[in-house]
């Protein structure tokens, strides 16, 4: 196939471009652009033959398959690394980026929290998805370390609230009324499940936590 000459001619790659692409490789997008340019600029009196067109399309298909295979292998590698990390958390205490409880009738999932020191008073406030306070419970004095909070699923009027997921906000003070650092703890990891959406951790407090929600780990 002959190509009609155009005002712009291609020149050999400069040394700088050769350094940035030492293997003279071409991306899938680049290959497609070259093929389109070849078709647009072919000589009408000597068009691209069908056998050459099939050959170049075959090369493009092979390139696309190799690209897809490379992407699949990378995803598999990332998933294996994630699963390995999740398995390494067995027996470790994990911190989450939020403390959430799931209400299903009279059944309410527990939630954990961790105190940096003994607290004279701890309070747990239940908030719905719109930021409205449902109820605040006084948990009284609590020891330093990981503690569990089990809400009964009732609002201020004593009635069970609607099923769903709610956020728990904790606050703690010492004997002088000064705030104590408190973090969200999901407890100690006792099991790991590998799902299509990623690893899910189970803790001794009965919580299930997605690996992506883990923000801290301690032994």
């Amino acid at each position: 196939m002959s190509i009609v000459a155009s005002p712009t001619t291609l020149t050999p790659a400069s040394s700088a471009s050769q350094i940035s692409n030492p293997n003279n490789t071409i991306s899938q997008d680049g290959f497609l652009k070259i093929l389109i340019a070849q078709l647009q600029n072919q000589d009408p009196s000597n068009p691209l033959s069908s056998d050459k067109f099939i050959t170049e399309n075959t090369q493009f298909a092979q390139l696309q398959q190799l690209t897809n295979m490379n992407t699949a292998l990378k995803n598999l590698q990332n998933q294996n690394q994630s699963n390995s990390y999740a398995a390494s958390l067995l027996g470790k205490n994990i911190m989450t980026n939020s403390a959430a409880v799931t209400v299903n009738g009279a059944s309410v999932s527990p939630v954990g929290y961790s105190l940096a020191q003994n607290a004279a008073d701890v309070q747990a406030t239940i908030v719905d998805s719109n930021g409205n306070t449902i109820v605040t419970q006084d948990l009284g004095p609590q020891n330093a370390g990981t503690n569990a909070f089990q809400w009964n699923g009732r609002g201020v009027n004593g009635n069970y609230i609607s099923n769903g997921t709610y956020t728990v906000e904790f606050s703690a003070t010492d004997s002088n009324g000064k705030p104590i650092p408190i973090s969200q703890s999901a407890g100690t990891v006792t099991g790991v499940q590998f799902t299509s959406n990623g690893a899910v951790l189970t803790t001794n407090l009965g919580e299930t936590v997605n690996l992506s929600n883990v923000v801290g780990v301690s032994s």
Side-chain angles (χ1 to χ4, degrees):
M1 182 195 71
S2 60
I3 304 298
V4 176
S6 62
T8 302
T9 58
L10 298 177
T11 58
S14 64
S15 58
S17 63
Q18 288 175 342
I19 292 175
S20 62
N21 189 15
N23 297 323
N24 292 323
T25 57
I26 184 172
S27 66
Q28 177 180 347
D29 183 60
F31 185 93
L32 183 59
K33 288 180 179 179
I34 291 177
L35 180 60
I36 293 175
Q38 189 176 30
L39 293 173
Q40 290 177 336
N41 295 282
Q42 63 180 326
D43 186 352
S45 63
N46 184 22
L48 181 66
S49 62
S50 59
D51 59 335
K52 289 183 178 179
F53 183 77
I54 292 174
T55 298
E56 294 191 357
N57 273 278
T58 300
Q59 292 173 342
F60 174 72
Q62 291 174 339
L63 174 64
Q64 187 176 30
Q65 290 175 353
L66 289 173
T67 301
N68 294 339
M69 184 181 299
N70 184 53
T71 300
L73 288 174
K74 286 183 177 179
N75 291 338
L76 180 61
Q77 182 182 20
N78 292 336
Q79 182 178 0
N80 288 337
Q81 290 176 344
S82 176
N83 289 345
S84 296
Y85 175 65
S88 72
L89 296 179
L90 284 169
K92 302 291 182 64
N93 185 61
I94 57 174
M95 304 295 178
T96 61
N97 56 7
S98 65
V101 291
T102 302
V103 177
N104 183 14
S107 175
V108 184
S109 61
V111 62
Y113 61 95
S114 182
L115 294 169
Q117 64 188 71
N118 292 339
D121 186 60
V122 175
Q123 291 192 342
T125 300
I126 314 300
V127 180
D128 65 17
S129 58
N130 295 319
N132 301 315
T133 297
I134 302 299
V135 66
T136 297
Q137 292 190 7
D138 192 339
L139 308 183
Q142 300 290 324
N143 294 326
T146 301
N147 296 273
F149 167 60
Q150 180 68 64
W151 179 38
N152 59 14
R154 298 177 184 270
V156 292
N157 56 5
N159 296 328
Y160 286 108
I161 64 171
S162 302
N163 292 345
T165 301
Y166 297 81
T167 300
V168 184
E169 299 175 351
F170 293 101
S171 62
T173 55
D174 61 17
S175 57
N176 296 319
K178 294 182 179 180
I180 293 176
I182 187 169
S183 57
Q184 312 301 341
S185 171
T188 302
V189 178
T190 57
V192 181
Q193 292 182 330
F194 304 113
T195 72
S196 58
N197 295 322
V200 178
L201 311 175
T202 303
T203 75
N204 64 321
L205 300 179
E207 287 194 65
T208 55
V209 181
N210 290 332
L211 181 62
S212 59
N213 289 335
V214 175
V215 297
V217 180
S218 61
S219 57

